[in-house]
Structure formats: C-alpha cells, structure tokens
Amino acid sequence: MKLDTSGLESAAPVWGAPSELVDGFSAAPSFEVPNTTDFDGFQKEAIQMVKPAKGTTTLAFIFKEGVMVAADSRASMGGYISSQSVKKIIEINPYMLGTMAGGAADCQFWHRNLGIKCRLHELANKRRISVTGASKLLANILYSYRGMGLSVGTMIAGWDETGPGLYYVDSEGGRLKGMRFSVGSGSPYAYGVLDNGYRYDMSVEEAAELARRSIYHATFRDGASGGVASVYYVGPNGWKKLTGDDVGELHYKYYPVMPSTVEQEMVEVAGA
Amino acid sequence: MTKQQANWSPYDNNGGSCVAIAGADYCVIAADTRMSTGYNILTREYSKICKLADKCVMASSGFQADVKALQKQLAARHLIYQHQHNKQMSCPAMAQLLSNTLYYKRFFPYYSFNVLGGLDNEGKGCVFTYDAVGSYEKVGYSSQGSGSTLITPFLDNQLKSPSPLLLSVQDAVTPLVEAEAIDLVKTVFASASERDIYTGDKIEIVVVNATGIRREYMELRKD
C-alpha cells in the first residue's frame, strides 16, 4: 500500500540533488516554519495582541434627555484585584464627564490636565469649551504620545451649546463622535444589553436602569469588572450622580432567590 | 537579528510592607523595618516612613533608592509651598502633589509603592493609596508592598466599609478607636511576617492625631 506522504513534503526548495538518497520523497520530512526573527516568542506576542486589555466596563449613550454615563469600579493588576472602589467616572468640570479605561494613572492625570485646559479656555474666551473642543484637546495630547505606552480608552460626555455631546478618545490617537459607546474588557457584554434595550426617546429613569443593567451584566460575565456600578446623568444643567449600587446586591435584586418547594425532607434518626 | 536586551536593570526590590488605617480623629501608618535584596537582608533597622508635613506621613515600599529620591523631591516642593503660602501643606494637597510627582516620571517610574496617611483639614483621618505611576484614591485603609496580598484580605475582613461610590456617601474611616487600630496593625504584621520572607524584624508605627505625631516600635520575627 502506497502511503500518502504529500503532507510531509516541504514547501522549501530542495537543496542539492540527493536523488540517489531519496526515493519517492522529494526531501526529508519537514513542516512549515514561520518566517519570523523570534521563533520562540512570536506565538506569545500573537496572544498578547488579542489579549483583552483594559479590564473594566464603561459605557455612555446619548438619548432624548441628555447623556447617560455608567462604569464599574474594579481595578485589577493581573489576576489580583487591587481595588473595588475606583472612581472611573471623572468629573472634568460641572458639565463634562470623562470615563476611565486602561491605565488608571494615565486616565486620572490626563483628565485632570484636560480640566485645567478647559478652565483656561473659559478664562481666555469668556465662554465654556464645547465637548468637541475638549475631546479634540485630549485626542491631540494622546496622539503626540502615541507609541510610548500610554493606555487610555475614554469617553468625553457633556452638554454644551449644541446640546448633548459624546466622543470616544483613545491612546492610539482615535477620536470618534457617536451616540453609544462602551469601552473595556466587559464592553461586549454591555453592548449586548445596551443595544437591545436602547431607544432614543427614553425617560431619565429608563435610561439609568438600562445603563445600570448593562454594567451589571458585564460585571457578571467579565472577571475584570466588578465592584460598584455608578450611573451619572448629564443634562442641560450639568452632570448629576444618579446611583451607585454594589453589583453583588444588584444580582439578588434582579434575580431574587426563590424559596424552592421541598420534595423530601431529611429527618433525624433517633438513637443508633 | 533579535533586539538586544539589556542585561542590567536600574531597579531592585528591597521588599517590605506598609499599612495605613484612618480613624475618626487619628491615622495609623506602619511599616516593617527590614531592607532586603534578593535573599539577603541588608539591614534590620531601615525606616520606610517619612514625615512630609505636620499632619502628613508617607510610607513606601519597593526600591528604596527611588523612595529616598521621591521623599527628597516632595520635601523640597513642600518647602517651596511653605515659602509661598506661609503655611504647611494639608494632607489632601500633598496627596495630589505626590500623584503628579509620580506621573512626571511616567516613562521611567519611581519603583515606589506608597501609602500616604494623615489628618485632613477637618482633623479627620485620611489615607491615600497609590500605584507606581501616580493613580491615587482616598480610602479608609490600605496596604502596599510584598506582604500586601496577605494583609489586604485581612483588613478587608476587619475593616471593610461600604464603598464610597455608593450614592449615600458614608464615612470611609473605621469606627475603631486608636488603641484598637494599633493592635490590629500589630496583629496584621505578625501574620504577614509568618508567610512573607521580606517582612519581619521590627514594625515602626507612626500615629498622627490632634496632639501631634508619635512613634512606637514592636519586635517581629527575625527569620
């Protein structure tokens, strides 16, 4: 029986002409080797590329009454939870909020810096800066540090003269205007719930409940998200913190424990 | 040709643990006094705690050379502040200064894991916890350093207060009295030195309250 050895054929060109050595084979059996400089490490690099970065869940969306912003509060260092009470919604000024995803120090520092720049703009121009302008300031700064290892995935949400505004800005230099965003490792789960329940004309309570549920579901499935789900609302008079609920308690609120009917009960046997 | 990696690192880890607990009118900051490198002990009597201002004390573990440089930097900036404002820096102000100082070296960080403790402007205890590049948070208690993964769960169990992010803002400070908090700190270090090789020798405990700053010591396992 002739074995099918086509799988052993090498794609590489045959060296020399060892025709008298081989008979039926074109070359010594070999397998394809990737053309990289670092053979031992390239696989690790590939995995790192798709690794879920930015262990967090934040979301924001525009609706009829304004902007709803929500986030979890867990900070993880590898597998260790370093804090369950991180403020991921940063108050840039009384009418603008920023969300934090990625490096905590990077987000905190650059949001504080953005707040300073916004205030300077107000003093120089005698009017508040627009959300468009503020997000552009931040995006330009992050772009100038591109490639240096900053990790920032933020949403700038606010209310200015043109109404509610929402931008997504990240440390790769990207800046997107949009109506709905979710950022972080828990964002796929949050998007699932958010996209399903979203309508433009919702009331503030309905929107807050949608935001809260989206964060809750993300914390349920994503290990890197958890803690407290905070929900903020940005309206024409600025932002207001609506709720902050521990997600553990939210679970039992959404899925209360039903006392199950007892079929058989164990009884103590008297004596022995 | 793969990229040449450096066979020298500018950093070293001198080990050790720090803890800080905030109370209603006091703050306890503690650290062990062992300084190590690898498996060697360099000294058993090194202070990781530094007084930055009248009501503000910092404890840092990590690379002590960077810690020393950081302490000098903060002391210098505090002196300038005193010249300009004719008063001492408050603890929350020092907390933000520390955060910014750490972030300025974002691309060549201070290998220093800090906890800042003291009294705020109203005389209430406050503790701020940091990562190496400056992100900070005001908390009721904190632990950093090699023993922190052993200490923090215990403190969570004893002191855990409702999260400050819950809407009804509740006090993060512990209801314990000063003596109880000091006792807790001693217990926590005794346990940590059982299981962490880099923690031991002695604890230096600094207590900040309305009457001032006081220091005490407790012996720990020397092995």
Side-chain angles (χ1 to χ4, degrees), chain B residues 48-196:
Chain B
K48 299 186 180 68
I49 302 183
C50 173
K51 178 181 142 185
L52 296 177
D54 249 1
K55 301 275 183 225
C56 189
V57 172
M58 177 174 83
S60 324
S61 82
F63 181 37
Q64 292 300 326
D66 270 355
V67 168
K68 183 72 55 164
L70 179 63
Q71 288 169 353
K72 280 184 179 179
Q73 174 78 317
L74 292 171
R77 293 286 278 110
H78 184 221
L79 194 58
I80 295 170
Y81 181 97
Q82 285 176 82
H83 287 143
Q84 290 176 342
H85 298 93
N86 200 22
K87 64 174 186 180
Q88 295 263 329
M89 265 178 105
S90 67
C91 201
M94 185 60 84
Q96 188 153 309
L97 176 64
L98 175 54
S99 171
N100 285 327
T101 309
L102 291 170
Y103 199 83
Y104 284 145
K105 280 186 44 90
R106 168 68 175 78
F107 300 114
F108 183 14
Y110 288 108
Y111 192 128
S112 163
F113 297 98
N114 314 293
V115 286
L116 195 79
L119 302 179
D120 63 15
N121 294 315
E122 293 140 30
K124 244 177 37 187
C126 58
V127 168
F128 296 89
T129 187
Y130 294 80
D131 70 1
V133 277
S135 101
Y136 78 115
E137 209 197 327
K138 178 160 184 281
V139 285
Y141 60 89
S142 169
S143 158
Q144 293 278 3
S146 56
S148 69
T149 47
L150 298 166
I151 295 173
T152 307
F154 184 72
L155 291 179
D156 280 341
N157 176 268
Q158 298 291 309
L159 297 174
K160 179 89 188 221
S161 48
S163 174
L165 295 176
L166 300 176
L167 196 58
S168 50
V169 179
Q170 283 160 26
D171 247 349
V173 297
T174 173
L176 293 180
V177 298
E178 197 180 294
E180 288 174 318
I182 296 173
D183 223 44
L184 180 61
V185 160
K186 290 178 180 174
T187 310
V188 135
F189 269 97
S191 302
S193 37
E194 295 285 328
R195 292 288 181 174
D196 176 30

Side-chain angles (χ1 to χ4, degrees), chain A residues 97-118:
Chain A
L97 294 174
T99 59
M100 179 200 292
D106 293 334
C107 291
Q108 269 188 10
F109 184 88
W110 290 112
H111 278 121
R112 196 186 307 139
N113 183 274
L114 179 64
I116 294 169
K117 286 201 158 66
C118 290

